[in-house]
Amino acid sequence: MPAPIPLDSTLLAGGCSGAASLRPLLETVLTALADGAAERCGPLPAGGPAAPDATIGGTILTEHGTGAHEALGALVHALARGAADPADPHCVAHLHCPPLAVAAAADLAASALNPSLDSWDQAPAASALEARVTAELAALVHPSGPSPDALVTTGGTESNLLGVLLARERHPAAPRVICGANAHHSTRRATWLMGLPAPLTLPTPRGVLDPAAVRAAFERLPPGAHALLVATAGTTDSGAIDPLPALADLVADERRRRPASLHVDAAYGGPLLFSARHRHLLAGVERADTVTLDLHKLGWQPIAAGLLTVPDRSALIPLAHRADYLNADDDTEAGLPDLLGRSLRTTRRADVLKIAVTLRALGRAGLAALVDDVLAAARLLAQLIAEEPGLTLHAPPAISTVLFRPTGVDDERVAAVRRRLLADGSTVLGRAWAPDASGRRTLWLKATLLNPRTQESDLAALLKLVLERAADPAPPGDRPAPFPQTPAHPLPKPLPKPLPSQRKPPDDRR
Ligand SMILES: *Cc1c(COP(=O)(O)O)cnc(C)c1O
């Protein structure tokens, strides 16, 4: 007799009894989340990659399964215990936000109902909600656009790809992407994926695009070539914002000579638009043809919550696509909404639900208060660093990223300090290369503040930990691999050589 499949593992999340089936499972999940967080009790599990691997236990796919409660309890507990928890004020390495509880609760409903936004008959209410939310958020970015609209994406990477794709579709000539060295790596990937030449990448010694250099780059393009300028509003490394009004002027001027487009990657900075106090930092963004916005960064959404906005929804027409089973012409003519052209994906999760619930629950003022709190925390951290002789501040923060380093140590020590804080699980800091006061390329520690509950005492404690690790000589064997290796994460092999399609185009050689 084979062992019976545990009944609780096969109950469905939807239908009239879905909620009743979920309720006891959620109790198990919430208990495991609470226990795991309490046991970790910090921003990261101590001990490096081997520690969480050990708590996961043995084989995942066994012959008969362990049942819903055991599996949920064990693995949710292992994930919580082994999490990098952005809700901890010392977890500040990346644009990795602590999600709001209200958004996470909404996301559970999206999972239970499982609408798929590739056809109306899979998502009647979700598609109506998405149409409302995308129009409202796009109007925030392009308040005077003729008919602002937005696509919901998996994040900045997909939005940047769509920005390049829509630019390509706007003109018969393939676009030549021009961006700064400060641009996100997904811009280069987008050109690679689309078979376009690699971007013409302008140096950004001051951290932002120089309009004079952009003008010179425009002038070097062959006549008639289509220029696509990609500007950044909030760089990943330092939060710097390119001079959007000047860049928008340049693109407008260039349009008298050639096809020219402007894409603004505001994955990080976009939500400043919620804040009356900080909105001015994004002046000019409304003039872009396409704008990337990530609400899983400064918008406190569970991953994924990306958007691509356009001032006029006609810009999205090139994405139109037919598949008879999803949007037959006669169905569309009969009035069924056609959703397939609202993404490059087919099956698509209702990420819009958590976004909509958050917007409705907090309102503009509620979101603005969170934005303002995070920016204030970054300013406070910068001030504490500036007052501490043992630390050097790179620059006042543009948004909520603070670069700093222990004073008088070399780059290798900065890198080792970060790894040692990771290894003991006390602090999760990022790293970024940027010039020092003398212009030398230097490695900095990066604190990306996204937690609106951060207190001054948290920031002071973080700096104390950095100072302690910086003063403590590195133990023998700290480099290059201080962490015990695990079967799940073997040491990486050397990267392959760039593919031929990534070779520089001829006009980069001048
Ligand atoms: C995070 C980020 C991206 C990539 O977004 P994902 O959501 O990670 O795909 C792109 N551009 C900038 C400026 C970013 O900060």
Side-chain angles (χ1 to χ4, degrees), residues 403-419:
L403 301 187
F404 67 106
R405 68 203 309 274
T407 306
V409 303
D410 61 14
D411 293 337
E412 243 172 55
R413 176 59 78 84
V414 172
V417 166
R418 171 177 170 275
R419 272 194 299 272

Side-chain angles (χ1 to χ4, degrees), residues 130-132 134-136 138 145-151 166 289 309-319 341-342:
E130 186 177 87
R132 297 263 288 270
T134 49
E136 289 185 25
S147 61
D149 199 0
L151 302 178
L166 291 177
D289 298 291
T309 69
V310 293
D312 184 352
R313 63 170 46 116
S314 67
L316 303 175
I317 289 171
L319 294 174
R342 296 193 61 82

